[in-house]
Structures are given as structure tokens and as C-alpha cells.
Amino acid sequence: MQTVLVTGATGCVGSTLAIALARSGCQVRIFRRPSSRTEILEGIPCTEFTGDICDESLLRSAMEGCDIVYHAAAVVTFARGARDEQHRVNVLGTRAVVKACLEAGARTLIHVSSVSAIGYPETGKSADEETPLDRSTARRYKLSKILAEDEVREGLARGLRAVIVNPSVIMGERDIRVHAGQLIRDIKKGRIPFYVDGGMNIVYVGDVARGMMRAAEMGRSGERYILAGENMTHREIFFRVADLIGGRRPLGKLPLPALRAAARIIESISRLVGVPPHFTMDMAAVAGRYNWYSSAKAEKELGFTKTSFDEAILAAYRWYGEHGMLK
């Protein structure tokens, strides 16, 4: 029986992974913040370690005797006001995890990065793990994921066995903090009147969890693997979601300059009322791109498989409805 540690286990990816690991017969430990909500892990046998992700001493204790450490803890936001905390958790937290893995003798680290740490593809093409990245254009969340990967590579240089996975936009159950799933709630309520050029790739959270487990078993140390779903235009995504859940289709296409102006207004209002913005200037800056990615490497080396877009959306929608999160 393997003993595994999951950081960020109260988030969408971490909780889905922890449940899958427990069901596979692993002895699961989780590392979480004292303030984390834990209801999505109820009934799952696990040992809890509570503290700060930068606490190296506590991390070492949690990792003692572990075969695999899955590092999924991260601050996922594009809000400007979260920059310092995002750097502390995403970058310095990863540094602490890497150091603790080396000192505790953990056999393998699986680091959850993001396609944000990979270069943008050319229009009409899909990026892969080798697509060049221009670091000079990276800000906030994207930069934090790039720097976190640097910390993992520092560990590799010191003898750590580590594999990096790069999921695209994640959709599915247990999205308790409502990240990508906000799209579903907004379309259901008719709050997206327009779409813009460009596109994105959405992957089902269950596929990401299985991909991480495969990466621990079959992944090559030092390699990164994109875990991606279907590449679709924004128009295709918004229209398809609306049709699937009985929401409202956008009325038409919005020019990108108008979108960026709207993002400035949204951020200003959010700062005034003290709530995180649903849409930011950073998001608007890349909104017109075709953020498409290929998971061919993960399919070939890990046996990664994709759940259909429709199934991923409906799984998330049902979960939101069952937990009163569509109101």
C-alpha cells in the first residue's frame, strides 16, 4: 500500500485526486490551511496535517514515510490585490515543498502547474510542452506558475524525482471556490451577453486526477505533461454550454477594445466594493488568443484519456445544482 500526501486537497483538483487515491487503496494524507472548508472530503479516509504551505518543518512531518507527494496547493486568481499572497503560496510554497521532499526522502513529487507556464500557440495551432515562452510578458498568475516550475527544476538538480503536469482550464465537480465553473453560472443566468474572438481548452477534473496518478506511475522525471481536453472557440463554448444547461446564448461578438475597457471598469468597481472581480484586465489581455493545447505527449506516454466537453460541463452543472450553487 502506497502512502501519499496531497497538498491543496480541499480544492477542486486536490479533492478529486485524494478521493481517487483513497479508492485505489492508497493511504492518503492531506495538507491544508486551517481555514479550508473540508466538506468535499467528508467520508474519505485520510490523515490531516493543518498549517501553512511554507512551513517546511510541518511539511517534512507530513511527508515522513511518503512514497509520493502530489503538490496541488495554489492561489488561482487573476485579481491584482492577490499578487503577494499568490507569489508566497505558488512560488515560495513550492520551494518549501521541494525542500521538504528532499529532506524527508519522498520518492516522487508530482507538481501541478498549468498551461499558463507554457508559451502561447500560433493562431490556429495547438501549443505543446516545447512551445517557446516569452517570460517578459508574464504577469501575476502566469508568472507565479512559471517561477514555481523553476523551483521544481531546482529540486531536480538536487536529485529529486519530479514530474510536472500542466492542466488546461479545469471543469468538473467539487469546484467549491468556483473558478472555471463561473462560466456555467454566468451563462445560466444570462450574464454573458457577448463573446470575443479566440478560444480555449477545457479539461475534466477527473481526467486531471487520473493523469496525475499516471504521471506518478509512468511519467519520466524532469518531464512536463500537458493534460488537456477539447480545443474550442469562445463562441462554440458559450453556445454549447447554453444549450446543454438551458442557459442564454450570447447575443453577438464584442470587439476586443470594448472588452478591455469593460475589464477596467469591472476591476475598479470590484476594488470599491471589496470583492474579487470575475473578469480582470489580465484576463482581457489574452481573451482574443486561441489558447489551444495538445495532450499528445501525455496520451502517448501516460495513457491519458479525455472526457468529452459535454460530459465535463454537465458533471460540473449537476454538482453545482446539488450543492445549491446555481442560485
Side-chain angles (χ1 to χ4, degrees):
M1 178 187 294
Q2 286 188 329
T3 300
V4 300
L5 174 69
V6 181
T7 73
T10 58
C12 181
V13 173
S15 61
T16 302
L17 174 65
I19 291 167
L21 288 166
R23 288 175 177 169
S24 73
C26 290
Q27 194 169 50
V28 178
R29 302 175 185 177
I30 69 168
F31 191 99
R32 66 175 182 85
R33 295 172 302 168
S35 60
S36 295
R37 296 169 58 184
T38 60
E39 60 264 36
I40 52 177
L41 287 173
E42 286 180 4
I44 302 302
C46 62
T47 302
E48 295 190 25
F49 291 82
T50 305
D52 188 275
I53 195 63
C54 293
D55 187 335
E56 295 173 14
S57 176
L58 185 56
L59 283 168
R60 281 195 302 272
S61 297
M63 292 178 190
E64 287 294 337
C66 272
D67 299 293
I68 304 169
V69 174
Y70 293 93
H71 179 40
V75 173
V76 183
T77 180
F78 294 89
R80 292 168 178 254
R83 179 180 57 186
D84 291 345
E85 179 65 4
Q86 190 167 67
H87 179 85
R88 191 186 73 82
V89 172
N90 295 8
V91 182
L92 302 184
T94 300
R95 180 181 300 173
V97 167
V98 167
K99 186 176 179 182
C101 279
L102 287 165
E103 294 176 353
R107 181 170 60 83
T108 299
L109 170 66
I110 304 300
H111 173 67
V112 183
S113 183
S114 165
V115 290
S116 292
I118 291 172
Y120 293 117
E122 296 179 25
T123 300
K125 297 183 178 181
S126 298
D128 61 22
E129 290 81 358
E130 304 303 321
T131 299
L133 173 72
D134 182 1
R135 290 190 175 219
S136 66
T137 64
R139 295 185 292 177
R140 297 183 185 86
Y141 177 70
K142 186 177 183 71
L143 180 60
S144 76
K145 301 306 281 187
I146 294 168
L147 295 177
E149 286 197 10
D150 289 345
E151 297 295 337
V152 175
R153 293 189 184 95
E154 285 288 327
L156 286 163
R158 295 168 58 191
L160 178 65
R161 181 182 185 273
V163 182
I164 298 170
V165 295
N166 300 80
S168 58
V169 178
I170 299 170
M171 192 76 72
E173 304 93 337
R174 288 175 288 280
D175 184 16
I176 198 167
R177 298 186 184 94
V178 193
H179 292 304
Q182 187 60 41
L183 170 69
I184 292 174
R185 301 206 301 182
D186 285 345
I187 288 178
K188 182 66 176 178
K189 296 181 180 181
R191 293 194 299 223
I192 300 183
F194 304 102
Y195 65 89
V196 295
D197 284 329
M200 60 181 171
N201 183 294
I202 290 177
V203 64
Y204 177 53
V205 67
D207 295 343
V208 174
R210 285 187 289 273
M212 292 167 67
M213 294 168 69
R214 286 295 190 102
E217 178 186 354
M218 305 168 66
R220 289 182 288 141
S221 182
E223 294 293 318
R224 58 190 347 196
Y225 295 92
I226 292 175
L227 306 180
E230 298 180 41
N231 292 314
M232 301 172 69
T233 66
H234 292 137
R235 184 185 187 279
E236 289 171 335
I237 290 169
F238 294 171
F239 277 46
R240 186 61 186 155
V241 171
D243 293 347
L244 285 169
I245 68 174
R248 188 181 304 167
R249 286 184 169 192
L251 299 174
K253 184 168 72 173
L254 185 70
L256 287 172
L259 179 74
R260 288 163 187 153
R264 283 195 293 272
I265 294 170
I266 291 169
E267 281 202 348
S268 298
I269 293 173
S270 295
R271 281 196 297 272
L272 286 174
V273 299
V275 298
H278 288 319
F279 193 73
T280 68
M281 292 174 64
D282 281 358
M283 296 166 71
V286 298
R289 294 182 181 271
Y290 288 84
N291 294 305
W292 289 349
Y293 299 90
S294 169
S295 59
K297 180 179 176 181
E299 292 170 36
K300 180 181 179 180
E301 296 190 19
L302 308 180
F304 177 73
T305 57
K306 305 175 184 180
T307 297
S308 73
F309 175 84
D310 288 10
E311 289 179 78
I313 295 300
L314 289 172
Y317 178 68
R318 285 192 294 267
W319 192 86
Y320 289 139
E322 290 165 1
H323 292 79
M325 296 176 67
L326 292 174
K327 298 178 181 178

